[in-house]
Amino acid sequence: MSMEENKTIYDVMILGAGPAGLSAALYAARGGLSALIIEKGTDGGQIAATDAIENYPGQMLEGESGESLSKRMAGQAERFGTAKAQDVITEAVLDREVKELRGEKETYLGRYVILAMGASARPIGCKGEEQYKGSGISYCATCDGNFFMGLEVYVAGGGDAAVEEAIFLTRFARKVTIVHRRDKLRAAKIIQEKAFQNPKISFLWDSVVEEAFGKGVLQGLMIRNVKTGELTRIEAEEADGMLGLFGFVGNVPNSALVKDIVEVDDRGYIRTDETMRTNIRGVYAAGDIRIKSVRQVVTAAADGAVAAVHISAECEPYE
Ligand code: NAP
């Protein structure tokens, strides 16, 4: 008997339980498909580590975090019958009618696949970054902000994430300095205005972090002005003993598993059509992992819905 004969063959397998994957699961299950969602970590993807989401329509519950929003999304998908697996997929075989996702624990089979693995933080790119990760350098303010209570913190980047997270970090840090490579922020105006009004936030314009240094923990930064080339050495105050550096310089897609199978651009983002189909039959992509202009919770959720609705329309009951 072949492996396929004694294993469940799902109509659709969804890889990644961020907003795109969870929305795809909800729509697939409600569309009458048997759906499996596979996640290696916690549900929610990037929003699981986001303190507040203010721009997801209808999301106005006082004090709700990205984590609680994703828990409700996951609960809703499960209520409509989505199966769930916690596993790390190490190999994808997608060029056949019944597709295989091979994981550390098991191999999963399905007729359609939705790739919704999202994106992760791009490294800051400074000297010493690897060495001080976890001992002064972080990419998650929600996870690590409270380690910097009363200290000085630097934030690299000028997009929505950098500015929002800088504002969040003012709850803990004595002073937060945004280090941005241009003299204008990329972040949405409403977010910028909040930061400009926050007395704990200051800016180092036209600047990048060149180097991180310290004895055991992060104690200083070398900042380079990209216009003048001037280097400025910043050191933690003696009484503090250390400082913090948070990196929010954009994201890289989590497409390593499939980048040699489906069509990707030169940065690794997956190309789809407007129905979320990739160039491989039966393989769709949704959310931050695909080439798109707006990466928001609402657009990720929309992608997942679009993919699942198109699969439901195409998918005949399996005998
Ligand atoms: P982003 O929008 O790509 O911004 C990255 C920032 O890092 C930019 O300011 C960029 O500078 C800077 N940068 C890039 N490479 C750099 C390098 N090597 N050295 C120094 N600086 C560098 O990324 P993001 O802020 O992480 O956001 C990712 C996506 O999620 C975006 O689509 C964003 O809108 C969305 N998001 C939305 C919200 C929200 O709506 N509340 C919150 C978080 C994220 P330049 O400006 O010079 O390019």
Side-chain angles (χ1 to χ4, degrees):
M1 199 189 273
S2 78
M3 183 176 62
E4 289 185 12
E5 281 173 76
N6 56 18
K7 274 193 86 92
T8 303
I9 299 175
Y10 291 95
D11 290 327
V12 58
M13 298 188 288
I14 299 154
L15 195 46
L22 291 170
S23 158
L26 171 67
Y27 274 77
R30 284 178 56 87
L33 304 180
S34 62
L36 169 72
I37 188 160
I38 307 168
E39 168 60 51
K40 69 171 163 45
T42 39
D43 291 339
Q46 293 171 83
I47 64 162
T50 302
D51 170 55
I53 310 268
E54 291 183 340
N55 51 7
Y56 187 67
Q59 207 267 3
M60 304 232 338
L61 298 180
E62 198 56 46
E64 187 170 63
S65 64
E67 188 188 2
S68 57
L69 176 64
S70 37
K71 277 199 177 128
R72 286 194 287 119
M73 285 183 177
Q76 193 179 11
E78 274 179 58
R79 192 161 52 152
F80 286 100
T82 308
K84 204 167 169 193
Q86 182 129 42
D87 206 345
V88 178
I89 301 301
T90 52
E91 198 183 343
V93 183
L94 303 177
D95 60 350
R96 51 183 79 160
E97 198 190 339
V98 175
K99 299 168 194 328
E100 286 185 31
L101 294 177
R102 297 179 185 158
E104 286 176 356
K105 294 182 186 163
E106 248 190 81
T107 292
Y108 308 89
L109 305 177
R111 298 163 63 210
Y112 287 83
V113 170
I114 301 176
L115 302 167
M117 297 90 88
S120 305
R122 174 188 290 147
I124 299 163
C126 63
K127 249 185 260 167
E129 184 164 7
E130 276 305 312
Q131 192 179 342
Y132 295 101
K133 254 184 208 171
S135 50
I137 298 185
S138 168
Y139 309 86
C140 176
T142 316
C143 321
D144 298 329
N146 63 344
F147 293 125
F148 299 91
M149 194 65 79
L151 300 179
E152 279 198 39
V153 157
Y154 291 78
V155 169
D160 287 338
V163 182
E164 265 192 347
E165 300 305 316
I167 295 166
F168 175 70
L169 285 165
T170 61
R171 294 190 197 178
F172 312 101
R174 182 172 76 231
K175 183 180 173 211
V176 177
T177 306
I178 295 178
V179 183
H180 182 38
R181 66 181 178 182
R182 291 186 294 138
D183 60 0
K184 275 191 194 69
L185 295 171
R186 178 180 294 280
K189 283 279 172 296
I190 185 165
I191 302 174
Q192 291 192 24
E193 277 157 22
K194 278 190 197 164
F196 291 140
Q197 281 162 17
N198 191 316
K200 279 184 159 185
I201 295 182
S202 55
F203 294 86
L204 281 174
W205 301 110
D206 300 315
S207 297
V208 293
V209 180
E210 187 81 358
E211 188 180 347
F213 57 86
K215 289 203 177 96
V217 292
L218 181 68
Q219 292 174 314
L221 299 172
M222 195 65 86
I223 305 285
R224 180 169 55 88
N225 183 302
V226 294
K227 286 199 171 145
T228 62
E230 187 191 348
L231 289 171
T232 306
R233 189 180 167 91
I234 290 166
E235 287 187 45
E237 285 186 17
E238 215 170 295
D240 291 346
M242 72 176 296
L243 47 76
L245 172 62
F246 283 78
F248 297 106
V249 296
N251 291 319
V252 285
N254 297 324
S255 59
L257 179 74
V258 295
K259 71 174 179 16
D260 298 324
I261 307 174
V262 298
E263 200 181 320
V264 294
D265 70 4
D266 55 359
R267 295 181 301 162
Y269 288 99
I270 299 173
R271 193 174 305 283
T272 66
D273 67 12
E274 65 171 30
T275 70
M276 308 301 143
R277 274 195 191 97
T278 69
N279 60 317
I280 305 288
R281 198 176 145 75
V283 180
Y284 289 63
D288 280 11
I289 198 166
R290 74 180 192 93
I291 300 169
K292 62 194 297 193
S293 59
V294 180
R295 292 195 171 85
Q296 297 281 313
V297 184
V298 68
T299 61
D303 285 0
V306 170
V309 167
H310 282 274
I311 291 171
S312 305
E314 211 180 275
C315 190
E316 296 298 329
Y318 194 64
E319 298 303 328

